[in-house]
Amino acid sequence: MFRANLTAVVTALCIGFSAHFNPAAAQDRRVPSSQAELRLSYAPIVQRVQPAVVNVYAAKVVQNRNPLLDDPIFRRFFGGGQQQEQVQRSLGSGVIVDASGLVVTNVHVIEGADQVKVSLSDKREFEAEIVLKDSRSDLAVLRLKDAKEKFPALEFTNSDELMVGDVVMAIGNPFGVGQTVTHGIISALARTQVGITDYQFFIQTDAAINPGNSGGALVDMNGRLAGINTAIYSRSGGSQGIGFAIPANMVRVVVASAKSGGKAVKRPWLGAKLQAVTPEIAESLGLRSPSGALVASVVPTGPAAKAGLKSSDLITGIDGQAVDDPNAFDYRFATRPIGGTAQIDVQRSGKPLKLTIALETAPDTGRNELVVTARSPFQGAKVSTITPAVADELHLDADTEGVVITDLGDDSPAAQVGFQKGDIILAVNNQKIGKTGDLEKAAAVNQRLWRITLVRGGQQINVTLGG
């Protein structure tokens, strides 16, 4: 009696609150109203989607280097010895998103791997090649090798239509125990302060996600892919009910780039630098709350400038969707298709405006990437001239000049002397470095001392190194 009355009260309260808050969206959502409905099962959905979720195994061969080999006396009496090889393995999950055998997983699952294998739910294993890696979103696309069949694949849902409280299931291979299904609800949407990838816009869920779930599926009750599970908040290493997934709309963009044969994801370029609205800025602008993305600067010839966007404009929405902060705008803008236009809602001097901005990629001519091979402190560093596209990728000001380190091996001389990915080289021995060719020439000159000017984290640093 008490249970039935409690259920009725909860049902009435939930339906009443939802209808009052959002009648249109709530009309097809309700809590169970009978014991029969409480005995309903998710099994039919699981059986349909489980074959499209896979296990991803990555292997990397590393050298175990004995530090005693650095001692010449040790080498004299005991010989040079041989470095022992060790295979490091990582385990994650993935989702088949195309019947031809395209699999989506996280970049951090397969980063640096020499070999990648995919195990299907029926225990068959396939070698896989890496088709595309997008570090900015932490998404990678694999292709099953020697695949001569059509595989079960998940369809994408429109993640912009998800609501807090929707029931979802997480499927993956936690702790390597085998494919596992957990369920929960969407706890929050548009989480922008997580600090995982460049695009801070995550689905938060309380469905149990643990190590090994990375790259696995978060599915809705229609059996469609709502997101790719990627991270958890945890003090113990296990699930504590706060997991994050990359929304399906971002996954869709990365998969589309892979299908088109691209090695990098092409995204629209705004041509403007945005900043968050602080309470102080909101007060100065006469805003009721600190929300939106404030335009700090505009590239003179970029899409934003051509659309009429100006410094101090406040962006409040894009294509009818609200923008709470720069991270939200970056995500919304990045998921728009190249070649079309977007409508941006702007407040200028307290008056609303609508601007139409072209969706085009940033200019990328003159990147001229190369790996420095000359014996120097830069040896082993992969560098690039800073183009508008590079500046956009690294969140630099559009007028930034110089050469940036885009990658370097762990054992390279450049890494050993302390260079880091993202360092901007401005000058070497008082010679300005404007493009990669300048650095290549400077590195080829034998020097007893290397005087280097670089920028790291926005701070200019002067370094002197021995030759």
Side-chain angles (χ1 to χ4, degrees):
M1 184 68 168
F2 175 77
R3 179 179 300 172
N5 289 339
L6 179 61
T7 301
V9 170
V10 171
T11 302
L13 287 174
C14 289
I15 293 177
F17 175 77
S18 298
H20 172 73
F21 185 75
N22 194 341
Q27 62 184 0
D28 60 346
R29 291 174 167 87
R30 61 185 179 84
V31 296
S33 59
S34 68
Q35 289 293 332
E37 290 188 355
L38 288 173
R39 289 195 294 270
L40 294 176
S41 172
Y42 299 123
I45 301 172
V46 173
Q47 290 174 357
R48 189 165 73 251
V49 303
Q50 213 168 19
V53 182
V54 301
N55 299 334
V56 177
Y57 302 92
K60 178 182 179 181
V61 178
V62 296
Q63 302 286 342
N64 275 342
R65 186 173 181 275
N66 190 338
L68 292 175
L69 294 177
D70 293 334
D71 188 338
I73 297 178
F74 182 91
R75 292 200 303 270
R76 177 181 176 185
F77 286 98
F78 297 97
Q82 293 184 349
Q83 295 182 349
Q84 295 182 346
E85 290 187 345
Q86 181 180 1
V87 178
Q88 291 182 347
R89 303 183 186 276
S90 63
L91 171 67
S93 305
V95 182
I96 302 175
V97 291
D98 189 88
S100 65
L102 281 184
V103 175
V104 172
T105 186
N106 287 135
V107 168
H108 72 259
V109 170
I110 52 91
E111 188 66 76
D114 299 311
Q115 184 184 48
V116 179
K117 287 186 176 181
V118 170
S119 175
L120 306 187
S121 60
D122 61 8
K123 308 303 182 183
R124 288 184 298 161
E125 285 192 355
F126 289 84
E127 296 277 350
E129 62 176 331
I130 300 172
V131 178
L132 184 151
K133 290 197 302 182
D134 184 48
S135 299
R136 301 186 70 183
S137 64
D138 193 27
L139 291 172
V141 180
L142 314 176
R143 186 185 301 278
L144 303 183
K145 292 182 178 179
D146 302 322
K148 300 178 181 179
E149 61 185 276
K150 288 188 175 181
F151 297 91
L154 290 190
E155 296 181 0
F156 295 105
T157 193
N158 182 356
S159 52
D160 288 340
E161 295 179 353
L162 297 173
M163 295 181 65
V164 174
D166 282 351
V167 177
V168 288
M169 292 185 295
I171 308 177
N173 185 9
F175 298 110
V177 299
Q179 195 174 86
T180 301
V181 181
T182 57
H183 95 285
I185 63 169
I186 292 178
S187 306
L189 293 167
R191 286 298 195 206
T192 59
Q193 304 298 323
V194 181
I196 304 171
T197 66
D198 283 359
Y199 295 104
Q200 299 294 304
F201 200 87
F202 294 92
I203 300 168
Q204 181 183 328
T205 179
D206 66 349
I209 296 174
N210 289 288
N213 271 112
S214 289
L218 187 73
V219 299
D220 64 14
M221 290 299 98
N222 292 313
R224 293 177 298 188
L225 185 67
I228 295 293
N229 301 320
T230 190
I232 58 174
Y233 270 157
S234 176
R235 294 179 178 177
S236 63
S239 174
Q240 293 184 321
I242 303 179
F244 299 98
I246 302 167
N249 287 0
M250 176 61 76
V251 183
R252 192 196 310 267
V253 171
V254 176
V255 172
S257 294
K259 286 183 176 180
S260 67
K263 294 298 182 182
V265 179
K266 293 183 178 181
R267 296 186 173 95
W269 176 50
L270 179 62
K273 186 176 181 179
L274 307 179
Q275 69 180 73
V277 178
T278 63
E280 293 76 17
I281 293 175
E283 184 178 358
S284 68
L285 295 176
L287 302 176
R288 296 178 59 185
S289 61
S291 64
L294 190 65
V295 179
S297 61
V298 179
V299 179
T301 58
K306 294 176 182 177
L309 199 66
K310 297 180 179 180
S311 296
S312 299
D313 282 350
L314 181 68
I315 299 175
T316 59
I318 177 172
D319 289 337
Q321 295 174 311
V323 168
D324 292 330
D325 56 31
N327 287 323
F329 178 84
D330 286 346
Y331 167 81
R332 298 286 187 201
F333 195 65
T335 53
R336 296 301 186 268
I338 297 292
T341 59
Q343 298 290 322
I344 297 179
D345 296 316
V346 174
Q347 283 191 17
R348 179 181 296 167
S349 301
K351 296 180 180 179
L353 294 174
K354 283 189 178 292
L355 302 177
T356 301
I357 186 167
L359 300 172
E360 56 189 53
T361 57
D364 201 23
T365 56
R367 183 186 289 242
N368 298 326
E369 282 188 323
L370 59 87
V371 177
V372 180
T373 57
R375 184 179 176 85
S376 68
F378 305 101
Q379 187 176 8
K382 186 177 182 180
V383 296
S384 170
T385 302
I386 299 177
T387 65
V390 173
D392 185 52
E393 292 171 9
L394 300 179
H395 301 288
L396 305 173
D397 290 338
D399 57 355
T400 303
E401 296 181 350
V403 170
V404 63
I405 296 176
T406 58
D407 200 9
L408 68 170
D410 294 338
D411 297 327
S412 66
Q416 291 175 2
V417 301
F419 284 115
Q420 298 178 11
K421 183 177 178 180
D423 285 349
I424 300 171
I425 311 301
L426 300 180
V428 176
N429 292 330
N430 298 321
Q431 296 296 314
K432 180 181 178 181
I433 304 299
K435 54 184 184 295
T436 55
D438 298 337
L439 182 60
E440 190 175 34
K441 290 179 182 178
V445 179
N446 290 328
Q447 302 284 350
R448 295 183 62 184
L449 287 177
W450 296 84
R451 296 180 176 85
I452 303 165
T453 303
L454 60 89
V455 173
R456 176 181 296 171
Q459 299 295 319
Q460 183 168 309
I461 303 171
N462 294 312
V463 180
T464 301
L465 300 172

